[in-house]
Amino acid sequence: MLKISTDKLNSLFDAISAKQTLYITVDNENGSAEYKKYESGMTLSKSLNTVRSAKDFFFPQTENLADFKVEGKNIEVIDVREESEDFVVFGVRACDARSFTILDKVFLSEPVDSYYKNRREHGTIVTMACTKPAETCFCTAFGIDPTVPEGDVAVFFDGENYFFLERTEKGEKFIASISDMLEDGDTSKLNEVQEKARDIMKKLPLANLSTKSFGGERLMEHFNSEKWAELSESCLGCGTCTFVCPTCQCYDIRDFNTGHGIKRFRCWDSCMYSDFTKMAHGNSRNSQLERFRQRFMHKLVYFPANNNGEFGCVGCGRCLSKCPVSMNIVKVMKALEDK
């Protein structure tokens, strides 16, 4: 594999950003990692993951869909879509990289979401292998190996050097564009780092979490479980879990009168909200129990039922660390699993 030493990483970032927009993970003033547009001198975060996932690059929290000009009975529809510029997202972890395959199944199936598709075609995902997984991580339960992440290019760090491995045709083009800054590297130490990371994963609190009790064939059994009442009792319906989740894809579409025309935009929504799925006749899920059940049934039963067994969760652990009442998908899985 090709490599670059740690002391040359910022020079590499400078070279990449000179050709196309580059986003990297950096530490904010609170010490948490987030994605920022690279500017010379920025330092790559050493944090395991960002608070908000890389989903934002392809499915942003808010985006304009169309504008309208209304004059009497005449309505002019204005297409506000712009061709996305090429960009690189550097430092995506394996869990978030897997989330893109889940989102692709939603937004790239017919009818294709052209807004999402445009961004996916222009974005290059450079992933970063994990070396020290956190206690809240459980990606391995969903068949993800954090030491060998997916993406267009996978990057591995052995403590001294960053190694680059192309995974897609887009990744090959990216490596070719920076090849003059890379050199052949000895991966012997890298193999040792990966084995240490795998040993850590085997000892994590959630290492033995299993998905065997879930899937489409268990739909009615889990839907009718009496355990939902107790599980949902503490839920505040705040939606935090859905907003930090890299695979949640629900959104609302609204029109806003600017006084000079109408702007139609979409924004993230949450199945945990009381007005979610509200229609002319009212709401089909009137209790927090029903809304709570919907979220986890979708992740663990509905989505795999319609996608060849693939679950709608990637085990990133964000909902474990951010839920204000410590209710999360792991507790649901353990409560509903076969004993």
Side-chain angles (χ1 to χ4, degrees), residues 215-225 228 297 301-302:
E217 66 277 6
R218 307 292 292 274
L219 194 156
M220 295 311 300
E221 175 188 345
H222 287 317
F223 186 89
N224 293 321
S225 174
W228 292 115
M297 285 290 289
V301 180
Y302 304 152

Side-chain angles (χ1 to χ4, degrees), residues 7 9 45 49 107 151 180 284 297:
D7 61 337
L9 185 62
S45 174
N49 221 331
F107 292 113
D180 59 333
S284 56
M297 285 290 289

Side-chain angles (χ1 to χ4, degrees), residues 37-316:
K37 184 177 179 179
Y38 177 76
E39 295 179 2
S40 187
M42 281 185 172
T43 302
L44 184 70
S45 174
K46 295 181 180 180
S47 296
L48 178 65
N49 221 331
T50 53
V51 175
R52 282 174 53 158
S53 76
K55 174 178 72 175
D56 295 41
F57 290 104
F58 307 107
F59 176 41
Q61 187 170 354
T62 60
E63 65 180 322
N64 289 338
L65 301 179
D67 287 351
F68 302 91
K69 283 188 176 180
V70 181
E71 295 181 2
K73 294 183 179 181
N74 297 319
I75 300 177
E76 179 186 358
V77 181
I78 303 171
D79 190 343
V80 298
R81 286 176 294 185
E82 296 180 356
E83 186 71 14
S84 292
E85 61 180 357
D86 290 337
F87 64 94
V88 176
V89 185
F90 191 102
V92 178
R93 297 297 181 175
C95 50
D96 282 2
R98 176 64 63 84
S99 75
F100 300 142
T101 66
I102 295 172
L103 295 175
D104 285 351
K105 288 179 172 63
V106 176
F107 292 113
L108 297 184
S109 60
E110 293 295 336
V112 173
D113 187 308
S114 58
Y115 300 87
Y116 177 88
K117 181 174 182 288
N118 189 26
R119 293 188 179 94
R120 282 292 275 147
E121 290 177 344
H122 286 273
T124 298
I125 301 302
V126 181
T127 56
M128 179 75 73
C130 296
T131 56
K132 295 181 180 179
E135 291 189 353
T136 53
C137 294
F138 56 104
C139 64
T140 53
F142 299 100
I144 299 171
D145 184 349
T147 67
V148 187
E150 300 168 2
D152 296 308
V153 177
V155 176
F156 309 87
F157 184 54
D158 69 356
E160 298 176 355
N161 301 289
Y162 291 88
F163 294 81
F164 293 75
L165 174 66
E166 65 270 19
R167 305 293 298 271
T168 67
E169 182 178 342
K170 192 185 295 184
E172 290 178 4
K173 292 180 180 178
F174 174 77
I175 294 295
S177 70
I178 60 171
S179 59
D180 59 333
M181 301 191 68
L182 305 178
E183 59 183 356
D184 289 329
D186 179 6
T187 62
S188 58
K189 187 177 179 181
L190 181 61
N191 295 333
E192 181 181 341
V193 171
Q194 288 179 308
E195 286 305 312
K196 286 183 178 179
R198 292 189 180 108
D199 288 339
I200 292 174
M201 287 186 290
K202 294 175 183 178
K203 300 173 183 176
L204 292 177
L206 304 177
N208 296 319
L209 186 69
S210 174
T211 60
K212 292 181 179 179
S213 299
F214 303 95
E217 66 277 6
R218 307 292 292 274
L219 194 156
M220 295 311 300
E221 175 188 345
H222 287 317
F223 186 89
N224 293 321
S225 174
E226 296 179 353
K227 295 178 181 179
W228 292 115
E230 181 180 353
L231 287 168
S232 63
E233 188 174 7
S234 62
C235 180
L236 302 176
C238 67
T240 298
C241 54
T242 58
F243 276 69
V244 298
C245 178
T247 66
C248 279
Q249 65 267 172
C250 293
Y251 60 85
D252 192 10
I253 296 179
R254 302 202 175 195
D255 292 343
F256 175 70
N257 189 344
T258 66
H260 305 285
I262 307 297
K263 285 191 175 295
R264 175 164 293 173
F265 67 95
R266 71 173 168 187
C267 55
W268 292 353
D269 204 348
S270 174
C271 57
M272 306 297 265
Y273 293 161
S274 59
D275 62 350
F276 185 76
T277 66
K278 189 174 183 179
M279 295 170 277
H281 79 283
N283 199 323
S284 56
R285 303 187 191 103
N286 292 308
S287 68
Q288 194 59 38
L289 183 155
E290 292 171 302
R291 295 188 286 271
F292 182 92
R293 178 178 60 190
Q294 166 62 23
R295 169 170 167 74
F296 296 108
M297 285 290 289
H298 181 253
K299 300 284 188 188
L300 300 170
V301 180
Y302 304 152
F303 195 86
N306 293 301
N307 293 277
N308 299 315
E310 183 174 11
F311 290 91
C313 176
V314 293
C316 70

